[in-house]
Amino acid sequence: DIQMTQFPSSLSASVGDRVTITCRASQTMNNYLNWYQQKPGKAPKLLIYGTATLQSGVPSRFSGSGSGTDFTLTISSLQLEDCATYYCQQTYSVPRTFGQGTRVEIK
Amino acid sequence: VQLQESAPGLVRPSGTLSLTCAVSGGSVRSSSWWGWVRQPPGKGLEWIGEIYHTGTTNYNPSLKSRVTISVDKSKNEFSLILTSVTAADAAVYFCARQASTTSYYFDLWGQGTLVSVSS
């Protein structure tokens, strides 16, 4: 199995701050890396797929990058509505594992 | 396209969990995989498995001996069966569509259904 290590596990930032979340895979995975946002009581929402492709309708302040085993999700200017938990997921191989999640709070 | 999970609610320990995901506004015969993900209360996401409309399946090895995912094209739905349930299987279960273009990703999710395990 490919293990996904996500960090930090939580962070607190101010509105307007630049926020970066990192996901590290236990082996290379050909950029089959996705990012989801989940708010309490809701299903996850796809933000980024294939490492860097923004899902339709997702604000452009979200971006993804990376290669090999290290990937990042960046929120260029944090907004109140971005308060959520963020998960990375690899879909290069089965099982299609998720990271442990990063909780983003607003100061 | 919308996905709607059935709601079994409570399952007895050692019993069988059975969920169905109805696909509306689209077809299970599309070029997508259909999957199940679960989330224990207060915890992260766990991938359970996936199925293509041809019947090809992939399962999480940690659950493989207890899981069956099937598709019913006539009803436009897919299903999850999990046997020998324990308290560790209590979770919100999501069904999802896994698009397969240049990559694989869950682009559409059901709202989730809470499954409790208790005698």
Side-chain angles (χ1 to χ4, degrees):
Chain A
D1 299 5
I2 297 178
Q3 307 302 317
M4 306 302 293
T5 302
Q6 198 174 327
F7 50 92
S9 57
S10 66
L11 65 90
S12 181
S14 300
V15 171
D17 282 354
R18 182 181 184 87
V19 169
T20 298
I21 299 169
T22 299
C23 191
R24 178 165 293 156
S26 59
Q27 62 187 77
T28 58
M29 22 171 266
N30 203 28
N31 293 352
Y32 279 42
L33 190 284
N34 309 318
W35 291 97
Y36 301 89
Q37 175 193 67
Q38 187 181 33
K39 296 184 177 180
K42 300 294 187 182
K45 172 189 174 183
L46 177 68
L47 297 176
I48 303 281
Y49 63 91
T51 298
T53 302
L54 193 68
Q55 171 69 347
S56 176
V58 174
S60 60
R61 63 180 180 273
F62 291 94
S63 64
S65 64
S67 64
T69 60
D70 291 343
F71 301 87
T72 60
L73 172 71
T74 299
I75 308 173
S76 61
S77 178
L78 190 68
Q79 302 301 304
L80 281 173
E81 60 265 33
D82 300 335
C83 181
T85 300
Y86 294 82
Y87 294 93
C88 63
Q89 181 206 22
Q90 68 81 18
T91 53
Y92 179 68
S93 68
V94 171
R96 308 197 191 279
T97 41
F98 291 90
Q100 308 96 308
T102 296
R103 178 175 292 185
V104 174
E105 298 177 339
I106 308 295
K107 283 182 183 175
Chain B
V1 182
Q2 291 186 318
L3 304 180
Q4 178 71 53
E5 300 97 342
S6 59
L10 183 67
V11 181
R12 305 295 185 194
S14 76
T16 297
L17 181 162
S18 181
L19 289 174
T20 296
C21 184
V23 179
S24 59
S27 172
V28 290
R29 300 172 187 264
S30 66
S31 301
S32 298
W33 289 73
W34 306 92
W36 291 94
V37 173
R38 70 180 183 179
Q39 184 170 39
K43 297 188 176 181
L45 301 169
E46 180 181 26
W47 181 84
I48 299 172
E50 64 192 16
I51 189 166
Y52 198 64
H53 65 81
T54 56
T56 301
T57 54
N58 292 307
Y59 298 127
N60 192 322
S62 68
L63 300 169
K64 189 172 185 177
S65 63
R66 301 193 291 129
V67 171
T68 301
I69 297 175
S70 60
V71 63
D72 188 331
K73 287 175 275 189
S74 67
K75 294 183 178 179
N76 210 33
E77 63 186 27
F78 59 104
S79 300
L80 168 71
I81 292 177
L82 182 66
T83 62
S84 303
V85 165
T86 71
D89 296 310
V92 175
Y93 284 74
F94 297 99
C95 62
R97 181 180 71 183
Q98 181 172 270
S100 54
T101 56
T102 55
S103 180
Y104 295 107
Y105 46 91
F106 286 125
D107 66 339
L108 181 69
W109 295 69
Q111 85 280 6
T113 186
L114 177 64
V115 174
S116 301
V117 178
S118 175
S119 55

